Amino acid sequence: MLQKSIQEALNKQVEMEAESSQAYLAMASWAEIQPGLDGVTEFFYQQSNEERMHMLKLIRYINERGGFAVVPELKQPIITFQSLQRVFEEFLKHEIRVSESINELVGLALMEKDFATHNFLQWYVSEQIEEEHLARTLNDKLELVGDDKSGIYLFDRDIMLFRPKEGGKK
Ligand code: FEO
């Protein structure tokens, strides 16, 4: 049985993953109506799906442990962006916030001696290392590219190569 404090914290994380999924869906939709950003569009649609999977994994865990996973109400994410750079800056900021939240959860699980939850969360710890690294790499590349249109063209063409292969995760 989950302790109340752990259940509440896990449900907050459910909300955060749902917000991530929404935020990346909005980025995908914005990218889709920009000319020539097919790669970025696909990247964020997939990223959004992945965040939904992170949310589902938490929901299933909370319920499996005798808690109650609450499907959260969500506020509208940022839906328009001044530039491609702004999209990826937001992506990185978001992933850093998620990592901080996971770290707090891990700390709480240890403090409450909930070793099952601590063990469960290790998957998220590894995932966040990967996601933050990906977001930083893409920001670094965009910084190199600046406003150069052919650079943006190549960035968009190659972006999916940077995503970890689906089979290599989970
Ligand atoms: Fe599930 Fe990218 O945080």
Side-chain angles (χ1 to χ4, degrees):
M1 189 78 183
L2 279 179
Q3 296 169 65
K4 197 164 174 279
S5 60
I6 299 276
Q7 177 173 302
E8 278 172 8
L10 286 170
N11 269 319
K12 276 210 185 106
Q13 193 61 36
V14 166
E15 187 173 345
M16 191 161 228
E17 302 293 347
E19 277 174 2
S20 305
S21 181
Q22 287 285 89
Y24 300 155
L25 188 59
M27 290 174 185
S29 180
W30 177 84
E32 196 161 35
I33 61 160
Q34 312 305 309
L37 291 183
D38 303 351
V40 172
T41 300
E42 186 57 28
F43 176 86
F44 279 112
Y45 275 131
Q46 285 198 20
Q47 198 66 29
S48 174
N49 280 343
E50 198 169 292
E51 298 300 348
R52 180 178 151 76
M53 188 273 289
H54 296 175
M55 176 192 70
L56 284 176
K57 206 173 165 83
L58 279 157
I59 287 177
R60 302 297 297 261
Y61 177 76
I62 294 167
N63 289 336
E64 188 185 331
R65 293 281 317 279
F68 175 47
V70 179
V71 174
E73 187 177 2
L74 299 176
K75 50 180 190 300
Q76 188 175 45
I78 302 173
I79 56 167
T80 57
F81 303 86
Q82 283 167 351
S83 65
L84 193 58
Q85 275 82 357
R86 291 288 300 131
V87 174
F88 282 87
E89 281 165 23
E90 280 301 319
F91 175 41
L92 177 59
K93 270 202 279 183
H94 202 93
E95 288 304 323
I96 290 172
R97 278 205 301 277
V98 173
S99 298
E100 287 168 354
S101 173
I102 293 288
N103 286 344
E104 274 181 34
L105 251 175
V106 170
L108 178 70
L110 267 186
M111 202 178 75
E112 300 284 6
K113 295 190 165 48
D114 183 341
F115 300 115
T117 297
H118 183 268
N119 185 49
F120 167 76
L121 289 170
Q122 295 314 301
W123 183 88
Y124 287 85
V125 171
S126 308
E127 182 72 12
Q128 280 316 116
I129 293 171
E130 219 172 66
E131 301 248 289
E132 257 194 62
H133 175 68
L134 175 63
R136 277 183 217 286
T137 302
L138 295 173
N139 271 277
D140 289 349
K141 291 197 180 295
L142 274 180
E143 199 173 320
L144 281 179
V145 163
D147 291 331
D148 178 58
K149 285 206 168 132
S150 49
I152 302 241
Y153 170 84
L154 293 174
F155 177 87
D156 182 78
R157 190 194 66 181
D158 293 344
I159 186 170
M160 294 303 281
L161 301 176
F162 293 99
R163 275 186 65 84
K165 294 277 169 281
E166 289 300 318
K169 311 187 96 183
K170 310 174 187 76

